[in-house]
Amino acid sequence: MEKVYSKEELDKPRESPWGEKTRDQKIGLEFGEKEYTEIDRYCRERGILWFASAWDPDSQLFLRQYNLKYNKIASAMLGQEELLEMVAEERKHTFI
């Protein structure tokens, strides 16, 4: 979260079920390793191919542990050269 959003953005007031700041909402909505592992388990058990959009290089490295067949680039990340190069190195079909 801190890699994508500035401290100022995260500290902005925002009413949500998770709290009164943008940070609270993001924490309430973001998945962690536990949730991704459960998604992976569920999908593998049922033969579902899943994939996710990384928004920074560390997140792309994190997703690699799941050995996903595809990558996905969020439109907001199309200008992030380092991330795009990492994804290209994997040589997987990529949704943009």
Side-chain angles (χ1 to χ4, degrees):
M1 219 175 30
E2 286 81 10
K3 292 178 184 186
V4 176
Y5 301 99
S6 68
K7 180 181 180 336
E8 294 75 27
E9 183 66 28
L10 291 172
D11 288 341
K12 283 183 181 176
R14 176 177 277 185
E15 188 176 325
S16 77
W18 301 278
E20 298 178 3
K21 293 186 177 184
T22 298
R23 178 183 309 279
D24 300 325
Q25 181 187 37
K26 296 294 181 191
I27 289 170
L29 293 172
E30 295 288 326
F31 289 164
E33 186 169 3
K34 178 182 169 187
E35 291 81 13
Y36 277 104
T37 298
E38 177 60 17
I39 291 167
D40 187 62
R41 183 203 61 75
Y42 180 88
C43 289
R44 288 185 190 282
E45 199 173 87
R46 288 163 178 76
I48 299 168
L49 295 176
W50 71 278
F51 50 93
S53 297
W55 282 54
D56 60 77
D58 287 341
S59 296
Q60 186 65 26
L61 291 174
F62 169 80
L63 288 172
R64 285 180 181 175
Q65 72 182 301
Y66 298 106
N67 196 29
L68 304 174
K69 185 173 181 175
Y70 305 109
N71 281 309
K72 181 177 177 291
I73 303 296
S75 57
M77 298 297 102
L78 288 175
Q80 302 298 318
E81 194 171 324
E82 182 182 1
L83 176 61
L84 297 175
E85 287 175 2
M86 283 183 73
V87 169
E89 287 172 1
E90 294 180 19
R91 305 194 54 78
K92 295 179 181 181
H93 289 286
T94 301
F95 295 89
I96 299 176

